[in-house]
């Protein structure tokens, strides 16, 4: 074993609430998420050269990909909870077994799901309430991405294993390779050769294949992989354990995306729906620059909580969570100021359409008010999922993003005639309420005794 490998396989010291450990675990994750956000923005910028229809297609398709991957992401959440517990306890054989079973389950789910996606592509855009022009362009684009979803799904599970082990640098390396290939292909084929959405699709697939190759290379050299018990034989009991933890997370993602689809439908009822949907897609991509670093902190919180609970230190788990939450709130407050003060300039970077630009600027100003609460919700959700308690985040999405956001958006945007402003305010109010609600639940402390 080489010296770098030896350092990587030392007894984990991430089961600690120290600022040094939080920093070492978090900064590669933050860079990883910033890189992912930059790719999303660049893809939106490229699509903007084709037109507002193409921008809407790219934005809606990414929402559909999140929905499609909900089950595999649930497997990844189960994998992170189990692997981090075993790593914290120093049981490498069981940690490796959990990782292998998660890869097998994720691969199986992906293979079952992708043919359905291919057949249902036109219907999915119609359900979103997309304008007819977006539906016509969106179905072929989604179908061209399907071949890339299989390596993407396996990589989602492998990333969860790396997170559970605390190998943040491995995640960063994977993201760098994946995103360079993805954006190189999209720029060269989509924009350079004028292939449009077809070029973006080829870049996406190439990036996912490259990222999987790197992630698998790291995984295959890990101690937990070498010492795994049971080989590569699927085991019903492991599948049950993974799904018991991850199934609420799958429902959470399903409800979030159902809520998003319903929200898209409300936007589609407003005057100038293509411009409104395009603006929403751009606004979410710009906002991702803020919330993706907090998603990195969500991951860090999950790792710290899982390993600390595995080591029998729930007080350290809670201390680490509040410290990570403080970092997230500080980051999101800074981004909120940028969004509020620079909304017009940011919107102008991504579209030349004056109507779309106006909608984007309004979106950013209203969303700025909810960013600190979004940070709080994301970090605490990660902590709860790292403890194996995925039910509370699921219910928070159900109450605040379905039962509150969608009806409130309908009332404000359509019944009261506030238009896009009403829709943006509905999002902000629901996000503030979700941050407050999940904080109340976390402070109850039930997650401390969660069995996995």
């Amino acid at each position: 074993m080489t010296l770098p490998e030896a350092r990587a396989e030392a007894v984990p010291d991430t089961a600690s609430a120290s600022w040094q450990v939080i920093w070492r675990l978090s900064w590669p994750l933050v860079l990883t998420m910033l890189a992912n956000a930059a790719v999303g923005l660049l893809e939106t910028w490229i699509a903007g050269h084709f037109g507002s229809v193409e921008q809407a297609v790219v934005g809606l398709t990414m929402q559909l990909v999140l929905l499609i991957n909900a089950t595999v992401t649930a497997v990844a959440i189960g994998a992170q909870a189990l692997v981090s517990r075993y790593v914290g306890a120093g049981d490498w054989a069981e940690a490796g077994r959990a990782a292998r079973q998660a890869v097998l389950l994720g691969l199986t789910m992906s293979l079952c799901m992708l043919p359905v996606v291919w057949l249902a592509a036109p219907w999915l855009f119609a359900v979103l309430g997309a304008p007819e022009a977006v539906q016509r362009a969106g179905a072929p684009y989604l179908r061209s991405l399907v071949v890339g979803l299989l390596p993407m799904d396996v990589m989602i599970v492998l990333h969860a294993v790396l997170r559970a082990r605390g190998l943040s640098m491995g995640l960063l390396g994977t993201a760098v390779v994946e995103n360079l290939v993805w954006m190189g292909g999209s720029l060269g084929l989509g924009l350079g050769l004028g292939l449009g959405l077809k070029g973006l699709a080829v870049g996406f697939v190439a990036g996912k294949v490259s990222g999987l190759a790197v992630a698998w290379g790291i995984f295959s050299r890990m101690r937990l992989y070498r010492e795994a018990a049971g080989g590569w034989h699927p085991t019903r009991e492991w599948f049950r354990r993974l799904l018991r933890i991850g199934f609420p997370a799958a429902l959470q993602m399903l409800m979030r995306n159902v809520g998003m689809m319903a929200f898209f439908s409300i936007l589609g009822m407003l005057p100038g729906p293509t411009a409104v949907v395009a603006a929403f897609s751009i606004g979410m991509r710009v906002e991702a620059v803020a919330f993706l670093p907090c998603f990195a902190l969500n991951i860090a919180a999950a790792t710290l909580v899982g390993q600390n609970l595995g080591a029998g230190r729930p007080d350290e788990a809670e201390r680490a969570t509040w410290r990570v939450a403080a970092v997230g709130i500080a980051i999101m407050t800074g981004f909120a100021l940028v969004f509020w003060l620079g909304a017009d300039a940011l919107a102008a970077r991504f579209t030349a359409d004056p109507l779309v630009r106006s909608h984007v600027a309004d979106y950013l100003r209203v969303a700025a008010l909810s960013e600190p609460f979004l940070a709080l919700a994301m970090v605490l959700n990660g902590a709860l999922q790292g403890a194996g308690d995925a039910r509370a985040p699921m219910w928070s999405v159900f109450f605040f993003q379905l039962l509150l956001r969608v009806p409130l958006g309908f009332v404000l945007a359509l019944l009261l005639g506030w238009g896009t402003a009403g829709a943006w305010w509905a999002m902000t109010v629901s996000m503030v309420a979700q941050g407050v609600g999940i904080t109340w639940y976390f402070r109850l402390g039930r997650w401390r005794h969660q069995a996995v």
Side-chain angles (χ1 to χ4, degrees), residues 45-247:
W45 177 80
I46 294 171
H49 286 72
F50 311 143
S52 59
V53 169
E54 286 78 7
Q55 279 188 317
V57 165
V58 169
L60 289 175
T61 300
M62 289 303 104
Q63 291 300 315
L64 286 172
V65 168
L66 290 175
L67 176 61
I68 292 163
N69 286 333
T71 54
V72 174
T73 301
V75 174
I77 290 171
Q80 177 156 357
L82 287 168
V83 173
S84 63
R85 283 287 186 102
Y86 285 123
V87 167
D91 192 340
W92 298 102
E94 286 299 280
R97 190 178 182 192
R100 291 190 182 191
Q101 292 296 315
V103 171
L104 287 172
L105 181 56
L107 179 62
T108 301
M109 286 185 165
S110 185
L111 288 172
C112 293
M113 185 170 47
L114 297 186
V116 177
V117 174
W118 176 276
L119 294 173
W123 176 79
L124 291 173
F125 281 92
V127 168
L128 283 176
E132 186 176 346
V134 175
Q135 292 184 40
R136 287 197 303 268
Y141 180 61
L142 177 58
R143 282 176 168 169
S144 64
L145 298 185
V146 164
V147 68
L149 296 182
L150 182 63
M152 182 181 184
D153 289 340
V154 177
M155 189 164 49
I156 287 171
V157 179
L158 291 178
H159 282 180
V161 175
L162 297 182
R163 294 194 299 265
R165 177 59 185 85
L167 297 181
S168 302
M169 287 299 296
L171 290 168
L172 178 58
T174 301
V176 168
V177 173
E178 174 191 343
N179 291 336
L180 285 176
V181 174
W182 181 1
M183 285 301 99
S186 296
L187 282 168
L189 299 175
L191 200 57
L193 297 182
L195 297 181
L197 291 177
K198 291 182 180 179
L200 296 184
V202 174
F204 173 88
V205 173
K208 297 306 176 185
V209 172
S210 301
L212 175 60
V214 176
W216 186 266
I218 297 171
F219 175 56
S220 64
R221 291 193 296 272
M222 292 168 64
R223 178 179 175 182
L224 62 80
Y225 176 88
R226 295 192 302 270
E227 297 186 11
W232 284 97
H233 306 293
T235 303
R236 181 179 300 177
E237 176 61 22
W238 276 103
F239 281 13
R240 186 190 66 78
R241 291 180 68 187
L242 289 162
L243 290 175
R244 180 172 57 83
I245 298 170
F247 184 68

Side-chain angles (χ1 to χ4, degrees), residues 2 79 151 200 308 339 386:
T2 65
L200 296 184
N308 271 295
F339 292 162

Side-chain angles (χ1 to χ4, degrees), residues 415-439:
L415 294 186
L416 296 182
W418 289 15
T420 54
W424 307 157
W425 275 108
M427 292 187 66
T428 290
V429 169
S430 63
M431 196 66 252
V432 171
Q434 186 173 352
V436 173
I438 204 69
T439 300

Side-chain angles (χ1 to χ4, degrees), residues 242-323:
L242 289 162
L243 290 175
R244 180 172 57 83
I245 298 170
F247 184 68
L251 288 179
Q252 174 189 339
M253 295 187 67
L254 177 63
M255 288 187 290
R256 178 186 292 120
N257 283 278
V258 167
M260 189 63 69
M261 291 165 65
F263 202 74
F264 269 115
S265 297
I266 293 172
L267 297 180
M269 300 177 192
L270 295 172
T274 299
V276 173
V277 172
F280 188 43
S281 300
I282 296 170
M284 286 192 299
R285 287 298 180 91
V286 174
E287 193 182 10
V289 176
F291 75 71
L292 284 181
C294 271
F295 184 62
L297 297 175
N298 163 289
I299 294 168
T303 300
L304 290 165
V305 168
Q307 291 191 7
N308 271 295
L309 291 180
R313 297 198 291 252
D315 289 341
E316 285 290 294
E318 183 167 3
R319 186 176 300 112
T321 299
W322 290 122
R323 287 185 170 183

